[in-house]
Amino acid sequence: MIQPSPHRHAFAGTEHPASYYAATAKGAPVTSRLTEDKTCDVCIVGAGYTGLSAALHLAQKGFSVIVLEAARIGWGASGRNGGQMGTTHRKGQAELEAMLGETRAHAMWDLARDSVSTVHALIKDYEIDCDLTPGILHAAWKEGDMPDLRKEAEHMSRTYGYDKLRILDRDAISEEVSSTCYKGGVLDDGGAHLHPLNYALGLARAAISHGAEIFEQTRVLDVTHDKPAQLKTANGTVTAKQVILACNGYLGNLEPRVAGYIMPINNFIIATKPLGDDARTLIPNNVAVQDTKFVIDYYRLSADGRLLFGGGENYSSRFPRDIANFVRKPMARVFPQLKHVHIDYAWGGTLAITLKRMPQFGRFAPNLFFGHGYSGQGVNIATLGGKLLAEAVAAEAGGKASPERFNLMAGIEASKFPGGTWLRYPGLVAGMLFYALRDRLP
């Protein structure tokens, strides 16, 4: 078994971290580094869900596409996350109505529904073996969380006709998860969970099948603001009519004009040893679970009967020295019976959050598009994001596609973190510590 890795810098290395997902990866396509100058219609920076989805949808439309990835396909959050696919945006529909108005909120719901159906269709059409399994349970950590969960479920049924949310009282939730922590919850039968890295690898294979080229271990050092643009790497330059930045939490200083709108934070996951028959006693119906805390716990069973448990986060450039014990503590609060279980894998990853917890999409003249900041809702929304970016690029090139849906997402006003790129961290840490404290209060 692979043991938990020691202290690791969040941006170190170009190989996949020693995670359960990397150990069970299937069908990684054969790629290479960029070693020559090339030209294309669209160059995409980043081979996560956003970049791979954009590459696939553009290649389907007949564009020549090159994807440049600094590390490996799915190396970032796309290959390390909890694998949970929700059915909404990061904010609930009632919040979106207050923020955007009812008309735009309904249009956003249509996008959310498309995000889910797109993931399902891609998995089916390209035969992506990624353990897709239905069901996400939103578990109430406190008694006071239940009225909001109930209200949102009733609102979704009444206003949007969404009938896949089941309200669970304390007794009913105990039939879904073997823990005494929860006061009730809502089970979303339309949600799902999957093996996130295998999903990313499947998207890559699909994009390549339509002619897209992917170059791994090829870090972009600079992007010129010309038309055509030039993307410079250590061993070659790509000249492209259009550019998409799909770097999310790993954007760094590549595009300073948007860096201050996102905050990279680190989150952590452990995988227990295979639990055998005991696995289904923990989660009898094999749904994924996430709670209502601000710093949430999220977990599910793997295909081979492990508990994959995510919990805890930090806001520095370094991961905890002992990730296994860092996450074991929240796991033992939920499942005391697993307090001493052997941990086979422990890893962390960096995601990007925005101040409003909604993704940021946009473009800079003459030919630079971007999408990022999924704030923990990336499996389906990032896949949709790539699709919308493809629509916008195709429309710019004079194709039949419409940029209307991209413009809807890009029209959500974004806010910079106070203090900009360099001073945003102290304020974020103070706020996170405050809400983490609230999680521990009755």
Side-chain angles (χ1 to χ4, degrees):
M1 294 294 182
I2 299 174
Q3 297 302 313
S5 60
H7 203 49
R8 173 179 287 241
H9 190 282
F11 294 89
T14 58
E15 296 297 334
H16 286 289
S19 70
Y20 167 76
Y21 299 138
T24 54
K26 299 176 182 177
V30 177
T31 66
S32 62
R33 293 179 174 90
L34 181 71
T35 57
E36 59 182 332
D37 295 341
K38 297 183 74 71
T39 62
C40 62
D41 294 326
V42 187
C43 185
I44 299 169
V45 185
Y49 298 144
T50 304
L52 294 170
S53 174
L56 170 57
H57 286 98
L58 283 166
Q60 286 176 333
K61 298 176 189 295
F63 288 84
S64 60
V65 180
I66 290 175
V67 181
L68 302 178
E69 166 56 50
R72 295 290 190 184
I73 293 165
W75 180 88
S78 296
R80 310 190 198 190
N81 66 78
Q84 299 197 17
M85 184 175 72
T87 54
T88 65
H89 296 277
R90 182 62 172 79
K91 286 185 177 292
Q93 283 302 118
E95 290 180 277
L96 289 179
E97 289 168 11
M99 186 168 116
L100 303 174
E102 290 190 7
T103 299
R104 290 176 69 193
H106 276 263
M108 292 292 289
W109 172 244
D110 291 340
L111 287 181
R113 299 302 299 141
D114 185 47
S115 75
V116 175
S117 62
T118 295
V119 172
H120 280 273
L122 290 173
I123 291 171
K124 179 181 178 181
D125 292 347
Y126 294 99
E127 299 179 344
I128 302 175
D129 185 1
C130 61
D131 306 325
L132 182 65
T133 306
I136 290 184
L137 174 59
H138 301 271
W141 185 252
K142 299 179 181 180
E143 292 282 1
D145 296 331
M146 271 307 295
D148 287 339
L149 287 175
R150 184 182 301 273
K151 183 178 180 181
E152 179 73 7
E154 292 172 346
H155 181 63
M156 292 304 299
S157 176
R158 181 177 61 253
T159 306
Y160 293 88
Y162 187 64
D163 59 358
K164 295 185 178 182
L165 298 175
R166 289 190 281 149
I167 300 170
L168 308 178
D169 61 18
R170 190 190 294 262
D171 291 336
I173 199 170
S174 67
E175 297 177 4
E176 297 291 343
V177 56
S178 181
S179 174
T180 60
C181 288
Y182 305 122
K183 310 305 186 289
V186 171
L187 180 60
D188 187 351
D189 291 321
H193 54 98
L194 49 70
H195 189 301
L197 179 55
N198 281 340
Y199 173 57
L201 295 173
L203 290 180
R205 293 193 304 272
I208 291 170
S209 75
H210 287 279
E213 295 182 273
I214 300 176
F215 294 95
E216 295 182 291
Q217 296 184 319
T218 303
R219 181 177 297 277
V220 175
L221 304 175
D222 184 56
V223 181
T224 67
H225 300 153
D226 303 315
K227 191 169 185 177
Q230 288 192 329
L231 295 91
K232 299 177 182 178
T233 76
N235 298 302
T237 296
V238 175
T239 301
K241 297 175 184 176
Q242 307 284 349
V243 177
I244 294 175
L245 298 182
C247 309
N248 206 39
Y250 298 90
L251 177 67
N253 295 318
L254 190 59
E255 181 42 76
R257 288 175 290 181
V258 294
Y261 290 90
I262 56 174
M263 178 79 71
I265 68 171
N266 305 319
N267 205 266
F268 309 99
I269 305 178
I270 56 178
T272 69
K273 69 176 184 179
L275 301 176
D277 293 339
D278 291 338
R280 292 301 282 267
T281 66
L282 298 176
I283 312 174
N285 295 314
N286 200 22
V287 299
V289 183
Q290 55 182 253
D291 66 23
T292 54
K293 292 190 297 182
F294 185 79
V295 181
I296 71 168
D297 296 331
Y298 54 96
Y299 51 92
R300 63 190 183 90
L301 298 177
S302 66
D304 59 352
R306 305 169 186 270
L307 182 68
L308 307 180
F309 193 101
E313 56 190 34
N314 73 10
Y315 320 107
S316 75
S317 62
R318 291 186 174 272
F319 292 171
R321 185 172 298 277
D322 187 348
I323 293 175
N325 281 322
F326 184 77
V327 184
R328 184 189 294 274
K329 293 176 182 178
M331 181 183 71
R333 284 198 297 268
V334 177
F335 297 115
Q337 61 271 44
L338 298 181
K339 182 177 181 179
H340 300 295
V341 72
H342 184 74
I343 306 300
D344 279 348
Y345 304 92
W347 67 96
T350 301
L351 65 148
I353 64 171
T354 63
L355 198 60
K356 294 183 178 180
R357 301 301 192 270
M358 288 293 290
Q360 182 192 21
F361 290 86
R363 61 172 299 181
F364 293 116
N367 55 351
L368 178 65
F369 295 79
F370 62 88
H372 54 207
Y374 301 103
S375 302
Q377 187 77 336
V379 174
N380 51 310
I381 301 300
T383 302
L384 172 73
K387 186 178 181 180
L388 300 185
L389 285 159
E391 291 172 2
V393 168
E396 177 70 15
K400 296 180 180 179
S402 168
E404 181 180 352
R405 302 195 317 156
F406 172 82
N407 291 339
L408 174 64
M409 292 294 287
I412 298 175
E413 184 179 357
S415 299
K416 278 190 174 182
F417 280 91
T421 304
W422 295 107
L423 298 178
R424 56 192 169 172
Y425 282 99
L428 175 78
V429 171
M432 292 294 195
L433 290 175
F434 170 76
Y435 284 107
L437 175 62
R438 289 206 335 179
D439 287 340
R440 293 192 289 269
L441 295 176

